[in-house]
Amino acid sequence: MLLAFFSTIYSFFRFDDASSLLLLATAIAAITVACMQAPPDKTQASPPPPVMDLKAIQAPRLTGMPLRLFAKLTQMPIIGSAILRQIKQDNDFLHVRHFAATLTDLMPLYLPIQTPSAETVQKHTHLAQANLVNTVAAMSIERKEGAFHRWTIKDFTDRYIAGTATPLQVISAVLEAIEASNQRTPPLLAIIKCNKEVILQEAHASTERYARGAPIGVLDGVPIAVKDELDVIGYATSAGTSFFDELNGIATADASPVARLRAEGAIIVGKTNMHEVGLGTFGINTHFGTPRNPY
């Protein structure tokens, strides 16, 4: 049975070299052993209430071909579910969920616990005063440098309603800025995917809505970029890798946060760069290039 299963996977993925076959065989053997483990005895007494503590995780650490193989295996209907279930079990995902369910008496934290010093307050007050809305309002919409620096949602929509700027003007300027930023030396590489034609169509539609006095929401015409880990219609989601987009293909539906933004009229101006699979905080990426600090 295992041999037949191995043959099916081989014909499905068409691995062409011995190392890939060895990796596949090793993965199947490991999964088979994991699936043959005896299920827990449900007749035992219920465990004591969970106590959260630090624990060494047992998640696989893979790169290159093993990571590709692992990603493909997790996409398979039966074996993928078995792999993910085993990983959740090894890393106490269910334990975390159960523990979170017991925290019914805790209120969400809306304010920071740390009280800033007087010096910090003065510093940030000065920065805020240097970028007052009135100062930004005096800027020309045609200005290339700093025209959108620290603009708020209200800054955009106020101008759209007043007719001093249109979504088409703003989005066109944003697209020009994205292109210019990636032509610098070194390039900024903040936006790595940008479907200009579709974006301009959405900006034109938003401009017409404001002309009729009928914006569809508080974000109508406001440019927003989405990190390349969320699905956006018309884009392949790579999550910073060189192969996730090929594995998943072009998204035909928006991720829930993106869909909610669109429902309010936001215009998605592209997808932003990120650390590969989000496993880091520095943004280093050898596939799309490492984004620079714009300041």
Side-chain angles (χ1 to χ4, degrees):
M1 181 177 179
L2 184 60
L3 180 60
F5 180 62
F6 178 86
S7 301
T8 302
I9 295 181
Y10 174 79
S11 61
F12 182 77
F13 290 116
R14 300 187 183 279
F15 295 103
D16 298 324
D17 56 85
S19 60
S20 297
L21 290 173
L22 179 59
L23 287 171
L24 178 60
T26 303
I28 293 175
I31 294 165
T32 302
V33 172
C35 293
M36 292 176 63
Q37 291 180 349
D41 186 1
K42 297 183 179 180
T43 62
Q44 296 179 354
S46 300
V51 177
M52 290 303 297
D53 198 0
L54 295 178
K55 179 180 179 180
I57 65 172
Q58 302 177 40
R61 300 170 64 181
L62 307 173
T63 59
M65 178 56 73
L67 179 58
R68 287 174 177 264
L69 174 62
F70 180 79
K72 289 182 178 180
L73 289 175
T74 58
Q75 297 289 321
M76 299 184 67
I78 299 177
I79 199 170
S81 299
I83 294 173
L84 296 177
R85 182 171 61 251
Q86 189 64 41
I87 290 177
K88 290 178 182 179
Q89 179 178 333
D90 290 343
N91 293 280
D92 276 351
F93 275 65
L94 300 181
H95 185 182
V96 172
R97 289 182 180 178
H98 180 64
F99 177 77
T102 65
L103 305 178
T104 57
D105 58 338
L106 294 182
M107 294 295 293
L109 183 64
Y110 296 106
L111 299 175
I113 297 176
Q114 182 179 3
T115 302
S117 64
E119 181 181 356
T120 301
V121 172
Q122 183 179 6
K123 175 183 176 181
H124 285 274
T125 301
H126 175 73
L127 290 173
Q129 290 174 345
N131 294 281
L132 291 175
V133 173
N134 291 336
T135 303
V136 178
M139 297 180 179
S140 169
I141 196 67
E142 301 296 333
R143 186 175 175 183
K144 302 299 182 183
E145 292 294 330
F148 305 107
H149 186 57
R150 297 184 186 275
W151 273 34
T152 66
I153 293 171
K154 190 173 184 298
D155 292 332
F156 286 112
T157 56
D158 281 352
R159 285 158 180 74
Y160 295 160
I161 294 172
T164 56
T166 68
L168 186 58
Q169 286 178 313
V170 169
I171 298 302
S172 297
V174 169
L175 293 177
E176 290 178 8
I178 292 173
E179 184 175 357
S181 71
N182 287 334
Q183 292 178 350
R184 295 177 180 176
T185 304
L188 182 62
L189 299 177
I191 306 291
I192 57 175
K193 299 176 183 178
C194 184
N195 192 336
K196 293 183 179 180
E197 183 177 353
V198 174
I199 294 169
L200 289 173
Q201 289 175 357
E202 294 178 358
H204 183 73
S206 177
T207 299
E208 291 184 341
R209 289 194 293 270
Y210 275 102
R212 298 194 306 268
I216 61 175
V218 295
L219 298 177
D220 204 344
V222 176
I224 295 179
V226 176
K227 184 176 287 190
D228 197 21
E229 63 182 353
L230 294 175
D231 283 346
V232 177
I233 293 176
Y235 293 89
T237 301
S238 67
T241 71
S242 62
F243 63 93
F244 271 8
D245 50 356
E246 298 177 3
L247 194 65
N248 298 322
I250 302 297
T252 57
D254 288 327
S256 180
V258 179
R260 293 184 179 187
L261 290 171
R262 285 196 198 273
E264 292 296 326
I267 298 178
I268 309 302
V269 295
K271 305 196 77 176
T272 62
N273 208 341
M274 61 178 290
H275 202 109
E276 188 172 9
V277 201
L279 298 178
T281 59
F282 300 104
I284 297 173
N285 191 302
T286 59
H287 308 299
F288 296 98
T290 299
R292 309 289 295 185
N293 187 329
Y295 300 101

